[in-house]
Amino acid sequence: MIWSRYRVLMVVAWMLALLVGGSVSAIAESGRSLVLSGIENDLIHKTAADVLVVAYGRIGVSVTFRWVPGKRALTEANRERTDGDIARIAGTEKKYPNLTPVSTPITYFTAVAFTTLDISDDIRSWDDLKSYRVGVRYGVRYAKEATEGMKRQFGKTIPELFRYLIRDYVDVVVVAEAPGLVSAAVDFPNTGIHRVGQPLHTVPLYHYLTLRNKDLVPRLNAVLQEMTASGELDRIRLRALDRLIVAY
C-alpha cells in the first residue's frame, strides 16, 4: 500500500513538472551553463544575445558571453574554448567542422535605404533606386553588384555616407540596418535621416553550438520556432536595439 501510494505521488509530481515547469527536459537541464562567443561591438550579435538568454532559459540552461573579435570568436568556439558562437551565416560548419547549427534563424543581417528626403515611393527592391543618387560602402560586394549602372557614390563608413546625404551629394544610402539606425540617432540627431522602404538585402544568421553540446540543438530549435511564430523573437531584438541606441 505504501509503495502504491509512493508511485501515485511520483506520477503526480511528474505531471506537475510538465504543467508548471514547461517541460521535464528544462528541469533536467537545471544547473547547466554555457559560454558563447560573440563579436565585440557588433550590434547584430548584441541583440541576438538577448534572444539566446531567453531561449536557453526556456530549456533550463544559463548562458554568458565572451566578447572578442569576429574571427577569434569562431576559432574559440571551434576549438571548444567556448560552447558555441552567437550567430553566423549558413555553411559556417564547412570551414569550422566542430560547430553545428540550430536550423531556425536567430537573427538576420539586413541592409536598408536611408534618406533625408520625403520619398513617397515605397522602396521594395534595388530597381526602385534607379531614379536616385545612391551611396554605398566601399568593399560591400552585394551593394556594389546591385547598384551597378546606377548613379552612385562610395564611402568608407556609414557616417561618411550620411554626411553625403546631409550635403545633398546623394539621395539615398544603403547600409546595414542596425548600425545605420544607431549612427542616425547618435551621430546625426535632428538631421532628418530616416529609414525608408523594405529591406533590400537579407541574410539569415544561425546560432552554432560545439558538437559536444549538440544534444541541446533540437530543444533549442523548438523554442526558437515558437518564439519566431509568436513574434517574440523580433520583439526581443527590437527592444535590445533600442536599449543599445540609448547606451550609445
Side-chain angles (χ1 to χ4, degrees), residues 21-83:
S23 70
V24 174
S25 63
I27 295 172
E29 290 294 342
S30 181
R32 186 168 176 178
S33 61
L34 302 179
V35 178
L36 302 174
S37 296
I39 302 175
E40 59 186 3
N41 302 319
D42 184 272
L43 291 172
I44 293 177
H45 270 217
K46 291 286 188 180
T47 55
D50 278 28
V51 175
L52 289 175
V53 169
V54 174
Y56 273 109
R58 301 262 169 92
I59 61 172
V61 177
S62 63
V63 291
T64 56
F65 304 96
R66 183 177 300 169
W67 301 103
V68 295
K71 187 175 181 180
R72 181 179 163 190
L74 270 174
T75 300
E76 290 203 352
N78 192 58
R79 293 178 179 176
E80 295 189 341
R81 293 174 182 170
T82 63
D83 295 293

Side-chain angles (χ1 to χ4, degrees), residues 146-164:
T147 58
E148 192 71 41
M150 297 184 191
K151 295 169 288 186
R152 60 186 178 181
Q153 179 80 35
F154 289 95
K156 294 180 180 179
T157 66
I158 292 175
E160 181 178 4
L161 288 170
F162 281 177
R163 283 192 288 271
Y164 292 166

Side-chain angles (χ1 to χ4, degrees), residues 81-193:
R81 293 174 182 170
T82 63
D83 295 293
D85 186 278
I86 291 176
R88 297 287 171 166
I89 61 172
T92 295
E93 68 275 16
K94 295 176 182 177
K95 186 175 181 180
Y96 298 90
N98 198 32
L99 299 179
T100 186
V102 179
S103 61
T104 300
I106 185 71
T107 189
Y108 293 85
F109 171 85
T110 56
V112 299
F114 288 84
T115 187
T116 57
L117 304 177
D118 181 16
I119 296 177
S120 58
D121 296 332
D122 196 5
I123 297 174
R124 296 178 177 272
S125 70
W126 293 99
D127 285 343
D128 294 331
L129 299 177
K130 287 182 177 179
S131 60
Y132 299 105
R133 298 169 298 165
V134 183
V136 295
R137 291 186 68 180
Y138 282 113
V140 179
R141 188 172 65 180
Y142 71 82
K144 180 182 178 182
E145 292 176 352
T147 58
E148 192 71 41
M150 297 184 191
K151 295 169 288 186
R152 60 186 178 181
Q153 179 80 35
F154 289 95
K156 294 180 180 179
T157 66
I158 292 175
E160 181 178 4
L161 288 170
F162 281 177
R163 283 192 288 271
Y164 292 166
L165 276 178
I166 295 171
R167 295 169 184 171
D168 195 32
Y169 296 162
V170 296
D171 301 312
V172 295
V173 163
V174 180
V175 292
E177 180 178 27
L181 289 170
V182 170
S183 184
V186 176
D187 302 321
F188 301 92
N190 306 314
T191 60
I193 295 177

Side-chain angles (χ1 to χ4, degrees), residues 1 31 66 229 242:
M1 176 68 72
R66 183 177 300 169
D242 287 342

